[in-house]
Amino acid sequence: MTTSALGDRLAGSGQGAADGGPSPGSARPLLVAGTLAACSVTGVGLAVLTILVLVGWIAAPHPGLGLVGVLRTAAVLWLVGHHVGVQVSDAGRIGMLPLGLVLLPGALLWRAGRWLVRGVVVASPVQALTAALAVAVPYSLLAGGLAAASRTALAAPSIPQAFVAGFVVAAVAVGFGASRALAPWSQLGALLSPRTRSVLAGAAASLAMLGAAGALLTAMALASHVREFGAVNGLLAPGIVGAGLLFLAELAYLPNAVLWAIAYMLGPGFAVGTGTIVAPTGSALGQLPAFPLLAALPQNTHGSGSTWLAVLVLACPYLAGALGGLLVARIAPTPVLEAAPIRGFCCGALTGAVLGVLAAFAGGPLGDGRLAAVGPSAWQVAVVAALEVGIAAAVTAGAANWRYVTAHAASETSYPPTGPGPRSGWHGRRSGIVSRRPDQDSRNVIFVDRWAGDQADNPPPRSRGPSVLP
């Protein structure tokens, strides 16, 4: 499907009555619609968090916190959901924030992108990008205004970080939501070249496998430390309402724990304070904060668990790379044998870059003291993941592509010429050959000899030799 065909189909579907879209004359201007979407998303998100903060305030009232303080606390939590750091008095900068809280504004912005496609005439991926910018700009201004309005002597969110984080989160979420509303992912992927699509699909498969393995490892660690988990909960004694809010906080930090588990599988591990390390080779931990999820950390100095489990954990990145390399070779096979390993390594490099960015957001400081360094090292995770996943993907892609090319080498079809002349011999081979290579979907290479017919009608005279003598 070509870009123009997809655009025509999307334009027709976006203006049709079946989807409930308005006619072009009744559509709002894109900038007005984007501003309304940004204000709606911000209002709904603040309302949800205000209710949660209000429940906690009623359950455990604080004399110095009134309704104005509740609203400011909800605004700070809303900014924390966009991964905006907060400077806390007598503690320092808090930058190790829950990634799960990003799901709330992300889901609302995703829905806003889909609403823009149905409420405004958006009929192409370029217009979807414009719609994302129309929401991201006012949304970043709202985030900066909230950061300025919620600053107090106790907690002060970063205003520049609020502008940047609000813009990035809104642009990404609205862009994906608007693109998905235009057409299914398969049709959007058809706009890319097969080579680019193969690298993206391989990286997505590797990331999905690593994410599933990290979630499974996190669940196993929590299951094996149930007593310690319950002991920390009993030590906090949060009560019924506090237990519910604590459970929501633990759910919000679960994506951080999964990324920590991925860093553990890759080898670099992560830190829970300066001078600490949690890695497959062993752990060196000090005094930990009273948070239930931290009770699942291994305490053994020279590694923990059985040998087969440790081998399986360390083999997961290579298995993820093999899966990505297999998809790279299957989506875009090529007769150039060295091209598939290169694209396989590019798949691993892209996987490492994504994991490095996620690792940077999964950690951060918890003050200016011993917990100033918490989480995995972003550059170490990126480099190690690129090497492990990339090498495994390159080897697998090369082997799978070589097997494909070898198996389909006999399928190259040769067609005889249709014009007059011999159907075999040198002239027949030169007069018309149609060959199809594995990397060509429907393109044929035709070699034509313009003088083949003349040579066939007037064959060259046979040389007189001893056999023609009388």
Side-chain angles (χ1 to χ4, degrees):
M1 180 178 292
T2 60
T3 307
S4 59
L6 179 61
D8 295 339
R9 190 188 73 79
L10 295 176
S13 64
Q15 299 172 9
D19 291 338
S23 61
S26 63
R28 295 188 182 94
L30 187 58
L31 183 59
V32 175
T35 304
L36 289 176
C39 295
S40 301
V41 169
T42 306
V44 172
L46 285 175
V48 172
L49 292 178
T50 301
I51 292 174
L52 294 177
V53 175
L54 193 60
V55 169
W57 177 62
I58 294 174
H62 297 278
L65 184 65
L67 290 179
V68 177
V70 169
L71 295 177
R72 285 180 174 175
T73 304
V76 171
L77 287 179
W78 177 247
L79 295 172
V80 166
H82 296 74
H83 215 83
V84 177
V86 180
Q87 185 73 25
V88 179
S89 62
D90 299 332
R93 181 175 177 270
I94 306 298
M96 218 288 281
L97 306 174
L99 290 178
L101 200 56
V102 184
L103 295 178
L104 177 59
L108 294 174
L109 289 167
W110 172 283
R111 296 296 301 175
R114 296 177 65 87
W115 174 80
L116 278 178
V117 172
R118 291 174 171 83
V120 185
V121 181
V122 177
S124 67
V126 177
Q127 293 180 355
L129 178 60
T130 306
L133 294 178
V135 178
V137 172
Y139 192 82
S140 64
L141 295 177
L142 289 173
L146 286 175
S150 60
R151 293 174 67 93
T152 61
L154 180 62
S158 173
I159 297 179
Q161 196 173 356
F163 279 109
V164 176
F167 180 86
V168 172
V169 172
V172 172
V174 175
F176 276 105
S179 300
R180 180 59 185 85
L182 285 174
W185 295 120
S186 58
Q187 295 183 7
L188 293 174
L191 301 177
L192 303 174
S193 64
R195 296 177 180 177
T196 304
R197 191 166 63 249
S198 66
V199 173
L200 293 178
S206 299
L207 288 171
M209 185 173 180
L210 286 174
L216 181 60
L217 184 60
T218 304
M220 294 174 60
L222 290 173
S224 60
H225 295 80
V226 175
R227 293 182 179 178
E228 292 84 353
F229 188 86
V232 176
N233 271 326
L235 181 63
L236 293 176
I240 298 178
V241 178
L245 296 178
L246 181 61
F247 177 71
L248 292 178
E250 292 169 358
L251 287 180
Y253 272 107
L254 267 182
N256 301 64
V258 171
L259 289 171
W260 289 15
I262 293 176
Y264 181 89
M265 289 187 300
L266 291 171
F270 54 90
V272 192
T274 56
T276 63
I277 186 65
V278 179
T281 55
S283 303
L285 294 173
Q287 188 176 2
L288 298 177
F291 192 68
L293 283 180
L294 297 179
L297 295 179
Q299 302 289 339
N300 296 339
T301 308
H302 301 289
S304 60
S306 58
T307 304
W308 67 269
L309 182 59
V311 172
L312 184 61
V313 166
L314 294 177
C316 280
Y318 299 98
L319 296 177
L323 177 61
L326 185 62
L327 286 180
V328 166
R330 291 197 61 180
I331 292 176
T334 173
V336 183
L337 296 181
E338 67 272 12
I342 292 176
R343 282 190 280 118
F345 189 81
C346 291
C347 159
L350 180 59
T351 303
V354 173
L355 287 178
V357 173
L358 292 177
F361 286 105
L366 284 176
D368 295 334
R370 191 181 66 86
L371 296 178
V374 179
S377 172
W379 72 269
Q380 290 183 10
V381 169
V383 172
V384 174
L387 291 177
E388 293 182 359
V389 179
I391 292 175
V395 173
T396 306
N401 183 76
W402 176 83
R403 185 177 181 277
Y404 180 88
V405 172
T406 303
H408 292 74
S411 64
E412 295 183 357
T413 307
S414 298
Y415 299 94
T418 57
R423 294 182 179 271
S424 62
W426 182 84
H427 299 295
R429 292 193 301 269
R430 287 288 304 274
S431 59
I433 296 179
V434 181
S435 62
R436 180 175 295 175
R437 297 184 297 178
D439 63 335
Q440 295 175 334
D441 298 332
S442 60
R443 297 173 294 174
N444 297 325
V445 181
I446 303 175
F447 303 91
V448 180
D449 187 359
R450 298 180 179 179
W451 296 276
D454 298 337
Q455 294 174 350
D457 296 336
N458 301 314
R462 297 176 59 185
S463 60
R464 300 178 60 84
S467 60
V468 299
L469 293 178

